[in-house]
Amino acid sequence: MRKSLLACMLLASSSVVAQQEPTMADLFKAMPDSLMPYLTTNNRLDMIDFMEANMKAEITNSLEGRTEMTALTADSLSLRMNEVLRIDMKKVQVETPVDSSLFVIQVRRTYQINEHQAEQIVDVYSSAWRLKDSRLERSTLMKRDEDLKTLPQF
């Protein structure tokens, strides 16, 4: 009797743990290195540890540049990869008739060259980091007509 009660309690507690959704920190840790080649797994772990310790989460990436995690919540994070690139990640719930616990990871890359030239690319990944969709959301990298008129003539 006692053993069966203990087994039931263990089974119930393990099912609760199995149903917990991963946090954005968990997903960032599990992200394949190929998606951010100049951030190693150790770099990502260090930034998460620094954020959890309320420290500045800045590391030296593998290109010898500085990368900083500027925000980390249970469902989102923000990275300043360098002077030009910012990456924002968000865990987004997907409602289906069968299962409401499904989610995707939205990764927004913002390239800001100056106040007039910027580009945003949004990638959507499955929870296993498989690319589902990619789109150019906004781009002002093309020169405007009035800018082209002021270029020096050769």
Side-chain angles (χ1 to χ4, degrees):
M1 172 80 175
R2 197 169 196 188
K3 287 182 183 181
S4 63
L5 181 61
L6 182 61
C8 287
M9 288 176 40
L10 182 61
L11 183 61
S13 66
S14 66
S15 67
V16 169
V17 170
Q19 290 179 0
Q20 288 181 346
E21 284 191 26
T23 64
M24 196 65 229
D26 297 330
L27 295 168
F28 189 55
K29 290 175 191 176
M31 183 178 68
D33 290 343
S34 61
L35 295 180
M36 279 189 211
Y38 64 99
L39 278 187
T40 65
T41 302
N42 285 337
N43 290 152
R44 294 194 307 267
L45 294 173
D46 286 344
M47 286 191 288
I48 291 168
D49 289 344
F50 293 151
M51 287 299 286
E52 289 174 351
N54 293 323
M55 298 170 57
K56 185 175 183 177
E58 187 175 67
I59 54 95
T60 301
N61 59 46
S62 53
L63 295 177
E64 300 302 320
R66 304 299 295 166
T67 297
E68 179 181 6
M69 183 180 287
T70 56
L72 176 63
T73 66
D75 67 345
S76 67
L77 70 81
S78 291
L79 299 168
R80 170 78 50 203
M81 297 298 284
N82 54 40
E83 304 80 36
V84 175
L85 175 59
R86 187 182 82 230
I87 295 179
D88 298 299
M89 297 182 189
K90 177 98 174 130
K91 187 172 83 168
V92 180
Q93 292 297 129
V94 177
E95 295 294 326
T96 65
V98 178
D99 189 3
S100 63
S101 66
L102 296 176
F103 64 91
V104 294
I105 306 159
Q106 184 183 55
V107 179
R108 180 182 312 269
R109 292 177 284 150
T110 304
Y111 299 91
Q112 184 78 40
I113 296 164
N114 58 40
E115 65 183 74
H116 300 292
Q117 293 181 308
E119 183 171 87
Q120 281 187 345
I121 299 168
V122 178
D123 298 323
V124 178
Y125 293 90
S126 69
S127 58
W129 290 102
R130 305 251 189 290
L131 185 62
K132 294 181 145 308
D133 185 33
S134 183
R135 68 183 184 279
L136 177 65
E137 192 165 273
R138 179 177 68 95
S139 181
T140 58
L141 293 183
M142 297 295 290
K143 292 282 188 186
R144 296 186 310 259
D145 288 343
E146 56 270 13
D147 293 339
L148 292 173
K149 291 176 186 174
T150 61
L151 290 176
Q153 298 298 315
F154 293 98

